[in-house]
Amino acid sequence: MNRREFVKKLATASALAAAAAMFPGIVFADQQEQELPAGEITWKKSPCRFCGVGCGLKIGLQKGKAVAVKGDPDSPVNKGLCCVKGYHSVMALYAKDRLTKPLVRKNGKLVETSIDEALDLVASKMQETIDKHGKDSVSMYGSGQWTIPDGYVASKFMKGAIGTNNLEANARLCMASAVTGFLTTFGMDEPMGCYEDIDHADVFVLWGNNMAEMHPVLFSRLLDQRLKRSNVKIIDLATRTTRTSTAADRSILFKPQTDLAIANAICYEIINNGWVNQEFVRKHCAFKKGKTNIGYGLEDNFKFKDEATGIDLDEFKEFLKDYRPDKVEKMSGVSAKDIKYLAAVYGNPNKKVTSFWCMGMNQHTRGTWINNLVYNIHLLVGKISTPGNSPFSLTGQPSACGTVREVGTLTHKLPHGVVMNEKDRKMAAEIWKVPVENIPPKPSLHTVEMFRALDRGEVRFMWIQVTNPMVTMPKLNRYRDGALKEDRFIVVSDVYPTPTTDIADVILPSAMWIEREGMYGNSERRTQHFEQLVDAPGDCMSDTWQIIEVARRMGFEKQFPWSYEEHIPEIWKEYSLFHEGAKHGMAPYQVLKSQPGAQWPYVNGKSTQWRFHGKYDPACKGNTYDFYGKPEGKAWIWARPYEAAPEEPDQEYPFLLNTGRVIEHWHTGSMTRRIPVLHQAVPKAYVELHPDDAKQMGIRNGNQVRLVSRRGKIDLPASVNERGKPVRGHVFVPFFDEGKLINELTLDAFCPISKQPDYKKCAIKIEKV
């Protein structure tokens, strides 16, 4: 099998299990696939740059360049496997249009300048904006692709030194509902389980998650377990037919947004059939209800605060009467028989069940609620915090957990708590050596509102690092136009030109991944260190060091005293002070360097795999369950209703648009589209149509069609009966193609609790071009 045939085969989930044995690495020279070059190759370990799984890689180094990749067999995450992006990952370092020199806009044109001049300009414009308009007129927008040191110094710089909470990260667009779901149910963020749950579970329920393409290495582990154990089943609960559906034992399609009703119907059936784990619920759960009809965040300056009111089991049963399976069948399109089947799976005391989800649940105008409802199911049957019994929210970026959720690079967060809490502010001020008054006690602007404020003129300066919001923001036309308004100053740190660098006044060239040292934190609470393996080209420097250089120019040398040679271990040492203790202790720097990651809480030299159960978690009291994130030590079961999406198909706009990814490309494609084999595999975006809809409109595969929403329009080739198939009345478009900006059509509605936008539901019409 030649390399190109292998890559094509690798793009299917079924090939992944054989990948490590079949092919030891992808090797390249000058962007072309080649045989191994002559000369000795040195192999070094690093976590993968793509997605939140945190696969371990072995990087082949030769003559100062990264020339090969293979999966690390010592990694407990991927056990030697990689997906098609991982095998080609180092090729993303070497495209011809790599940004290597700073660029400054002069007379409307970007021109090369020295790195010192560019950093001086960033610092002076930031200070000038603060002097003219106040601290809250400046902002920083980062990423779940930031390393942990990047995010830590950003938080210290903005909140501790400058004194504004105008710090956000793009994980607000992908993981915020997972955060608020964990916090509202358990009082602490991040999964209680780990990837080893895969080796113990009997049934996997995938809630709106095309895992075969989005998390293919983990999906290969599911497939492997099914091959080894005949009782293992995979259930695909989804809104369109995908490669995951094809590989699953059962595929159940539902109408978008009605996952809320389905989850409640499962709870109804569990209670109605006497499958509740009564002792577990009595000892370890409390019942709550919150506000309803909570809005969608469509208006500027939208405000909402939920309130939890205590209820009992009888009131919860009464609430669920509206969600009998026969009623929910009419709402969701899922048969009462399938709902009862799902309930029986969860309710069977002899089956261990792990639920997986990602953007389908989180990019949702009721994202917090649906997270709560899936936890309800696991709590009612007591299937949680033990091997194989796990509700598990997956992440889409390498450090959305480590850098955003743990470090706290969101407006309301601090590395160990929240800005609203005086004790948390005092702790941060002491560690950061700033007056506690520097840290504002109120959150400022979440991501959507930050870009709205940039449009309105309340924010005048924005520094964007490691992300591409001029592709990813919903209702994109408004926010791009806002960024281009007069008296706005935009700084962008990146590795390649993007639609976001197009709007920049200063572009700072960044060091990428193994061109610098850092740490990522993955979906299973695993912190992974990586060394600098190759030199960064030109004037490229890490985002960490860019921030430190600007901070020092603004007079904050005391807060950022580290030498370049020692800044990463010193930052980690300081950051770890925030998380000392059994509930969230972090592994020491030397431990991270010596092994493929460590899972927090790291206590007495050992990672914690399962939280909230005394058998596995040293923070628990006793040898049983202890949901210590809540004051009473009990997890909350929430009564959360079904509420419709804010924009549904109508006579004028009769179709529903869903957006997402494909296996070959990662997020906006700024890296993967520069890897030839991946770009050639899927060179441009397309729109998936149901074959009956296509036939009715006279559209054939490959025909150009126009999608029109109330906010924008886009022309795309039709895809009929190819990779995926939506249900009738729905379409799907991937968002990796910067030449086809699908987010010009999407709606900036968001979950009022998490403030995370919904990219999965807006109304469009289709015209044949």
Side-chain angles (χ1 to χ4, degrees):
M1 180 181 294
N2 65 35
R3 293 169 186 273
R4 199 163 298 278
E5 288 172 339
F6 170 79
V7 169
K8 288 179 181 178
K9 188 172 183 182
L10 185 63
T12 67
S14 60
L16 283 166
M22 290 168 60
F23 196 67
I26 294 291
V27 183
F28 72 95
D30 299 323
Q31 290 289 317
Q32 302 299 315
E33 293 176 87
Q34 302 282 338
E35 293 303 315
L36 279 168
E40 185 178 350
I41 289 181
T42 302
W43 294 93
K44 296 284 188 178
K45 295 186 178 184
S46 171
C48 185
R49 174 67 179 77
F50 298 115
C51 96
V53 171
C55 292
L57 304 180
K58 295 186 77 172
I59 309 294
L61 306 173
Q62 185 186 75
K63 298 179 181 178
K65 290 184 72 174
V67 298
V69 179
K70 55 186 176 183
D72 179 6
D74 296 328
S75 170
V77 173
N78 55 310
K79 303 180 180 183
L81 303 183
C82 285
C83 78
V84 69
K85 294 184 291 295
Y87 276 118
H88 290 84
S89 55
V90 296
M91 295 179 76
L93 275 68
Y94 299 115
K96 293 178 181 178
D97 59 343
R98 178 75 188 268
L99 295 168
T100 61
K101 298 290 183 184
L103 299 169
V104 172
R105 196 171 296 279
K106 297 179 179 179
N107 300 318
K109 293 185 177 181
L110 288 167
V111 297
E112 279 191 12
T113 187
S114 71
I115 187 67
D116 284 334
E117 181 184 342
L119 293 168
D120 287 346
L121 180 59
V122 173
S124 64
K125 285 300 287 189
M126 203 169 193
Q127 190 62 58
E128 177 188 322
T129 306
I130 291 168
D131 293 342
K132 272 188 178 181
H133 304 288
K135 294 178 179 180
D136 286 339
S137 66
V138 299
S139 64
M140 179 171 273
Y141 184 59
S143 171
Q145 299 160 60
W146 258 342
T147 67
I148 291 174
D150 296 339
Y152 181 72
V153 298
S155 186
K156 186 176 184 179
F157 175 51
M158 295 298 288
K159 297 184 178 186
I162 290 175
T164 177
N165 288 328
N166 279 355
L167 173 67
E168 278 281 298
N170 66 3
R172 177 75 74 176
L173 308 181
C174 65
M175 294 312 303
S177 294
V179 174
T180 53
F182 277 118
L183 290 173
T184 49
T185 295
F186 304 105
M188 292 189 72
D189 187 24
E190 298 200 34
M192 62 288 300
C194 60
Y195 298 155
E196 194 174 313
D197 284 308
I198 295 170
D199 301 334
H200 300 278
D202 301 306
V203 182
F204 301 98
V205 183
L206 314 183
W207 288 77
N209 182 20
N210 181 13
M211 202 171 174
E213 292 197 77
M214 303 306 102
H215 298 91
V217 171
L218 289 185
F219 192 68
S220 74
R221 289 183 60 176
L222 269 62
L223 298 177
D224 183 55
Q225 287 301 312
R226 191 173 62 184
L227 286 171
K228 290 176 178 176
R229 297 185 286 135
S230 60
N231 62 313
V232 170
K233 303 295 180 188
I234 301 170
I235 302 170
D236 173 53
L237 183 59
T239 59
R240 62 188 257 269
T241 299
T242 66
R243 292 178 174 182
T244 302
S245 314
T246 304
D249 296 280
R250 192 157 182 160
S251 178
I252 301 170
L253 299 179
F254 67 93
K255 294 177 183 176
Q257 196 85 358
T258 65
D259 46 2
L260 296 156
I262 294 164
N264 278 329
I266 291 170
C267 289
Y268 173 90
E269 277 293 295
I270 287 169
I271 292 173
N272 194 50
N273 285 285
W275 295 331
V276 175
N277 186 327
Q278 298 286 353
E279 183 180 8
F280 175 88
V281 171
R282 178 175 54 82
K283 288 183 177 180
H284 304 297
C285 300
F287 291 87
K288 304 287 179 178
K289 68 177 181 179
K291 293 180 179 179
T292 57
N293 299 311
I294 62 177
Y296 299 102
L298 288 165
E299 59 271 26
D300 282 27
N301 298 305
F302 174 87
K303 302 291 183 185
F304 174 79
K305 187 173 182 180
D306 203 10
E307 292 178 5
T309 303
I311 59 173
D312 58 26
L313 178 56
D314 288 337
E315 290 173 281
F316 185 64
K317 290 178 181 178
E318 187 66 28
F319 161 77
L320 291 176
K321 285 181 180 178
D322 286 335
Y323 298 97
R324 293 198 325 262
D326 57 325
K327 287 187 176 182
V328 172
E329 178 175 344
K330 296 172 184 175
M331 299 163 59
S332 67
V334 176
S335 70
K337 180 181 178 182
D338 279 339
I339 292 170
K340 291 179 178 183
Y341 167 75
L342 287 166
V345 165
Y346 282 105
N348 186 338
N350 299 314
K351 296 286 186 184
K352 294 181 178 182
V353 184
T354 290
S355 301
F356 282 119
W357 64 91
C358 197
M359 296 303 100
M361 273 173 51
N362 294 329
Q363 291 179 339
H364 195 310
T365 53
R366 296 294 180 265
T368 305
W369 288 9
I370 184 57
N371 275 264
N372 292 150
L373 295 183
V374 174
Y375 296 137
N376 285 359
I377 297 169
H378 280 265
L379 290 169
L380 284 174
V381 295
K383 294 185 178 182
I384 197 165
S385 295
T386 56
N389 287 317
S390 186
F392 203 112
S393 172
L394 296 164
T395 50
Q397 297 183 89
S399 205
C401 289
T403 302
V404 181
R405 297 160 75 169
E406 292 158 30
V407 174
T409 53
L410 299 172
T411 181
H412 67 292
K413 283 282 289 173
L414 289 167
H416 61 301
V418 293
V419 300
M420 301 84 80
N421 184 294
E422 184 179 6
K423 183 179 177 182
D424 293 343
R425 293 198 307 278
K426 285 181 176 178
M427 181 181 183
E430 183 178 348
I431 293 171
W432 288 344
K433 297 181 173 58
V434 299
V436 69
E437 295 77 21
N438 270 36
I439 304 171
K442 293 182 179 179
S444 56
L445 304 167
H446 60 86
T447 292
V448 173
E449 199 58 44
M450 181 183 284
F451 279 89
R452 288 175 179 174
L454 184 68
D455 178 39
R456 296 192 299 262
E458 294 151 22
V459 169
R460 302 296 183 102
F461 175 103
M462 183 179 285
W463 189 352
I464 300 166
Q465 285 195 330
V466 211
T467 187
N468 194 5
M470 294 302 106
V471 175
T472 59
M473 284 299 292
K475 199 177 181 180
L476 182 57
N477 286 322
R478 175 184 179 182
Y479 302 119
R480 183 175 54 237
D481 292 346
L484 290 169
K485 284 184 176 178
E486 206 165 323
D487 200 23
R488 310 294 192 273
F489 197 87
I490 309 297
V491 179
V492 179
S493 302
D494 215 324
V495 295
Y496 287 113
T498 68
T500 302
T501 63
D502 288 346
I503 66 163
D505 296 285
V506 176
I507 301 173
L508 298 176
S510 292
M512 187 177 172
W513 180 35
I514 54 174
E515 296 169 347
R516 41 81 55 90
E517 183 184 5
M519 299 90 167
Y520 290 143
N522 78 349
S523 296
E524 62 167 353
R525 296 173 280 107
R526 181 179 298 276
T527 308
Q528 299 186 84
H529 172 270
F530 53 93
E531 298 177 74
Q532 180 178 344
L533 302 182
V534 295
D535 291 333
D539 290 328
C540 295
M541 65 173 63
S542 73
D543 299 288
T544 299
W545 201 250
Q546 288 177 13
I547 297 169
I548 290 171
E549 287 280 4
V550 170
R552 288 174 173 174
R553 283 165 166 79
M554 294 178 69
F556 301 117
E557 295 91 343
K558 180 182 176 182
Q559 284 71 41
F560 301 92
W562 312 295
S563 69
Y564 181 81
E565 291 74 18
E566 292 296 322
H567 72 288
I568 296 299
E570 289 299 315
I571 288 169
W572 183 255
K573 182 180 178 182
E574 182 177 300
Y575 166 62
S576 295
L577 296 174
F578 285 96
H579 292 301
E580 290 180 330
K583 294 181 180 179
H584 203 149
M586 308 302 289
Y589 176 76
Q590 290 302 327
V591 169
L592 296 179
K593 286 196 71 174
S594 69
Q595 61 188 49
Q599 290 166 278
W600 64 263
Y602 187 84
V603 183
N604 297 325
K606 186 179 178 182
S607 293
T608 300
Q609 290 183 283
W610 291 277
R611 292 197 294 165
F612 307 140
H613 195 296
K615 186 176 179 180
Y616 313 100
D617 185 350
C620 292
K621 296 174 184 176
N623 198 38
T624 185
Y625 293 95
D626 179 10
F627 296 103
Y628 49 75
K630 292 292 187 182
E632 68 273 40
K634 292 185 175 184
W636 290 5
I637 294 175
W638 284 90
R640 301 289 204 189
Y642 163 77
E643 289 182 0
E647 186 175 273
E648 296 189 321
D650 55 25
Q651 191 170 355
E652 186 178 2
Y653 296 92
F655 287 88
L656 187 140
L657 169 67
N658 177 20
T659 69
R661 295 196 288 121
V662 294
I663 190 173
E664 293 85 356
H665 289 297
W666 194 64
H667 291 205
T668 66
S670 59
M671 290 179 285
T672 52
R673 292 182 77 220
R674 288 173 168 86
I675 297 172
V677 68
L678 299 183
H679 178 62
Q680 290 161 14
V682 187
K684 58 187 177 182
Y686 52 85
V687 53
E688 290 178 357
L689 303 172
H690 189 279
D692 292 344
D693 288 330
K695 183 177 180 181
Q696 186 175 350
M697 292 184 288
I699 295 169
R700 292 187 175 186
N701 194 50
N703 287 167
Q704 287 291 309
V705 297
R706 180 165 296 150
L707 310 186
V708 184
S709 77
R710 292 176 173 87
R711 292 155 294 281
K713 60 185 178 182
I714 187 173
D715 291 354
L716 292 164
S719 173
V720 183
N721 278 331
E722 291 188 307
R723 179 177 298 224
K725 186 173 79 172
V727 299
R728 289 210 68 176
H730 297 182
V731 303
F732 171 84
V733 179
F735 71 93
F736 69 85
D737 187 348
E738 67 182 33
K740 298 290 183 180
L741 296 173
I742 190 60
N743 281 319
E744 292 181 352
L745 278 64
T746 53
L747 188 65
D748 59 352
F750 54 76
C751 168
I753 300 172
S754 69
K755 315 301 189 293
Q756 180 172 342
D758 186 337
Y759 291 86
K760 307 300 182 186
K761 297 173 278 293
C762 75
I764 63 164
K765 58 185 174 183
I766 301 173
E767 301 168 352
K768 189 174 179 182
V769 177

